[in-house]
């Protein structure tokens, strides 16, 4: 059981490969356009019941990925000094999580999405109490999932759906009413594999 950030710090120094939306779909053609950089925060907070992961449910009115479960994050802006700054800025804008409350533990390997983004996840440990302030323009809900749930490989499943006329396979890791799938689930599966590596 993951009970302290030291467990995660030990895992983050282990070698791990980048992931991709193409992992389960090698027959899909990769984009010709340059991949754009994006950063997401994987926010962890310690509760009496153990470490929890903070996720968001995207607003239903958004043109891209409405209603999907996601890490707080987005594309890198010109003023961001690095991809960690992107993740922290986006998390603050979307959830009200101040960067001063986040201790950066490290990064997970990057993930390439079918929509042309190279997503770099930053692991952040929330070091103090914070008041959630979801941006209604982007976020419908901010919620927590026990980290042990998304680090248990048996909770992951592969499903398929038609996307752009092709039958696309993707990972899911449902939790209660939350259907966590796609890039978010793939990044979490990579995290789970890294935590269990010898």
């Amino acid at each position: 059981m993951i009970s302290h950030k030291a467990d995660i710090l030990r895992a983050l120094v282990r070698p791990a490969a980048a992931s991709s939306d193409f992992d389960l779909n090698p027959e899909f053609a990769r984009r010709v356009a340059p991949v754009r950089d994006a950063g997401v925060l994987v926010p962890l907070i310690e509760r009496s019941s153990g470490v929890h992961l903070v996720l968001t449910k995207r607003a239903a009115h958004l043109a891209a990925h409405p209603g999907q479960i996601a890490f707080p994050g987005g594309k890198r802006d010109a003023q961001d000094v690095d991809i960690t700054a992107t993740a922290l800025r986006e998390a603050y804008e979307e959830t009200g999580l101040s960067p001063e409350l986040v201790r950066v533990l490290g990064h997970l390997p990057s993930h390439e999405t079918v929509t042309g983004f190279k997503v770099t996840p930053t692991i952040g440990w929330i070091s103090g109490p914070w008041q959630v302030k979801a941006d209604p323009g982007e976020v419908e809900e901010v919620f927590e999932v026990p980290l042990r749930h998304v680090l248990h490989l048996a909770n992951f499943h592969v499903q398929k759906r038609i996307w752009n006329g092709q039958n696309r396979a993707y990972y899911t890791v449902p939790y209660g009413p939350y259907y966590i799938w796609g890039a978010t689930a793939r990044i979490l599966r990579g995290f789970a594999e890294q935590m269990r590596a010898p």
Side-chain angles (χ1 to χ4, degrees), residues 117-194:
F117 285 96
K118 177 186 175 184
V119 181
T120 301
T122 297
I123 304 288
W125 190 272
I126 302 174
S127 60
W130 63 293
Q131 182 178 356
V132 175
K133 295 179 181 177
D135 175 2
E138 295 189 64
V139 175
E140 178 179 317
E141 182 182 357
V142 178
F143 65 96
E144 296 181 16
V145 177
L147 185 61
R148 64 180 177 274
H149 177 79
V150 295
L151 293 185
H152 188 46
L153 289 173
N155 290 331
F156 288 83
H157 309 282
V158 174
Q159 297 185 351
K160 292 186 176 184
R161 70 169 56 176
I162 300 297
W163 185 80
N164 279 1
Q166 295 178 294
N167 201 19
R168 174 191 168 194
Y170 56 92
Y171 284 106
T172 70
V173 58
Y175 177 73
Y178 303 106
Y179 185 67
I180 307 168
W181 70 286
T184 302
R186 181 64 186 92
I187 290 169
L188 288 172
R189 183 176 173 86
F191 189 16
E193 291 169 343
Q194 193 166 346

Side-chain angles (χ1 to χ4, degrees), residues 4-5 9 99-106 123-127:
H4 196 271
K5 56 182 170 283
L9 287 168
E100 286 74 28
L101 295 178
V102 180
R103 179 188 171 193
V104 173
L105 302 185
I123 304 288
W125 190 272
I126 302 174
S127 60

Side-chain angles (χ1 to χ4, degrees), residues 28-47:
F28 281 12
R30 278 180 155 78
R31 295 175 61 98
V32 177
V35 173
R36 295 162 290 176
D37 285 326
V40 297
L41 187 67
V42 183
L44 305 176
I45 188 166
E46 192 161 15
R47 302 297 192 192

